[in-house]
Amino acid sequence: MRSINRILTAPFTNFFIRSGLHPNYITLLGGAAGILAFFSFSAGTKAGFVAGAVLFEVFYILDNCDGEVARARGLSSKLGSWMDTIVDCCIHTFSFVGIGLGVARMTQNPIMLFLGIAAGIGTFLSTFVVMLQKAMNYGLAIHGMPKAPEGAEKKVAAIDRLVDTVSLGDFSLIVLLLAVLNKMEFLLWMGAIGANIFCVILLVINFKYLTGRQ
C-alpha cells in the first residue's frame, strides 16, 4: 500500500528528474526545510506550529524525492543512502524536541519539553537500529521489516506486519493535522510513548540479526 505522501511526491520527483539536480542536494534541501521546521515549532505559537508542520511536510516530500530521483537516474550510492538516513534521524529527533519546546512555551508546562526530549530519544534509537542494519549490510534503509541475511530464513510474523504498517510515511500529515487543530501536546504524548515502544519492537525483530544468531 502506497502512502499518501508517496502519491503527493510524484510530481515533485518528475520535476527534479527534469531539472538535473543531484539527489544528494535534494536530501540537503529536505534537511534545510527540517531545520526551519524545528525553529518554527519552537516558537510556541499556533502559527509557528502550522508553519513548522508545513515545512516538515516539505521535508517528507523531498525525503521521498531524493531516493526516487537517484533510482530513476542511476545515481544511487552508499554516500547518498547514509546521508539520507542521517538527515532523517536528525530532523525527526530535533522536530520532537522543537515541538516539546514550543508546547512548553505555549502552556508554561515544562513537562512538555521532557516529553519532546523523550520522543526525540526514542526516534533517535529507532533510527540507530536502521543504521546498524545498514552497517551490517542487511535490511531496509527505513524503519520496517528487515530482510534476512543471505542463507537465513525470514519468517514474516504478525509483529513484522504491524511495524511495516506503522512505518508508512504519512507521519508528517498527522503532525500537520494536529498543528491545525492546536493539539500538539497530544503528539508529544503519542511520540514519547510510541517512539520508545516502536524502538523496542524494532530491537526484538532485529535481535537475532544484530547479534548474528540467525
Side-chain angles (χ1 to χ4, degrees):
M1 181 175 68
R2 295 185 70 193
S3 70
I4 296 174
N5 272 330
R6 284 290 179 185
I7 297 172
L8 295 176
T9 295
F12 296 95
T13 296
N14 292 333
F15 167 77
F16 283 121
I17 290 174
R18 292 194 300 270
S19 73
L21 188 66
H22 195 282
N24 288 355
Y25 291 122
I26 301 174
T27 301
L28 294 177
L29 284 175
I35 292 171
L36 291 176
F38 165 79
F39 287 109
S40 295
F41 286 140
S42 63
T45 63
K46 181 176 179 180
F49 288 134
V50 173
V54 171
L55 288 164
F56 194 58
E57 173 64 16
V58 171
F59 158 70
Y60 257 64
I61 288 176
L62 294 176
D63 185 46
N64 289 334
C65 284
D66 57 8
E68 293 177 358
V69 171
R71 288 186 289 273
R73 296 179 56 201
L75 294 174
S76 298
S77 67
K78 287 186 177 181
L79 173 62
S81 178
W82 275 105
M83 183 184 297
D84 181 64
T85 301
I86 292 171
V87 169
D88 281 357
C89 178
C90 293
I91 298 305
H92 281 91
T93 299
F94 285 107
S95 289
F96 271 121
V97 175
I99 292 169
L101 180 59
V103 176
R105 284 175 171 171
M106 174 180 281
T107 63
Q108 297 298 306
N109 184 354
I111 291 177
M112 296 295 106
L113 177 56
F114 288 112
L115 289 177
I117 293 172
I121 290 173
T123 300
F124 172 80
L125 292 177
S126 295
T127 312
F128 185 70
V129 174
V130 177
M131 292 181 182
L132 289 177
Q133 287 182 342
K134 293 168 71 67
M136 299 177 70
N137 197 33
Y138 84 94
L140 303 175
I142 57 172
H143 293 163
M145 295 187 295
K147 296 177 180 177
E150 185 176 354
E153 182 181 0
K154 170 59 180 170
K155 296 181 180 179
V156 181
I159 194 171
D160 295 301
R161 296 191 181 93
L162 173 62
V163 171
D164 194 47
T165 300
V166 171
S167 301
L168 290 176
D170 286 335
F171 174 68
S172 61
L173 298 177
I174 297 175
V175 175
L176 181 58
L177 175 62
L178 293 176
V180 170
L181 296 176
N182 203 22
K183 297 293 184 182
M184 297 299 273
E185 67 276 8
F186 175 75
L187 179 66
L188 290 176
W189 283 106
M190 182 174 65
I193 298 172
N196 287 283
I197 291 177
F198 188 60
C199 178
V200 172
I201 291 174
L202 282 176
L203 286 172
V204 169
I205 292 174
N206 286 274
F207 180 77
K208 64 181 179 180
Y209 302 122
L210 295 176
T211 58
R213 299 177 181 179
Q214 57 273 29

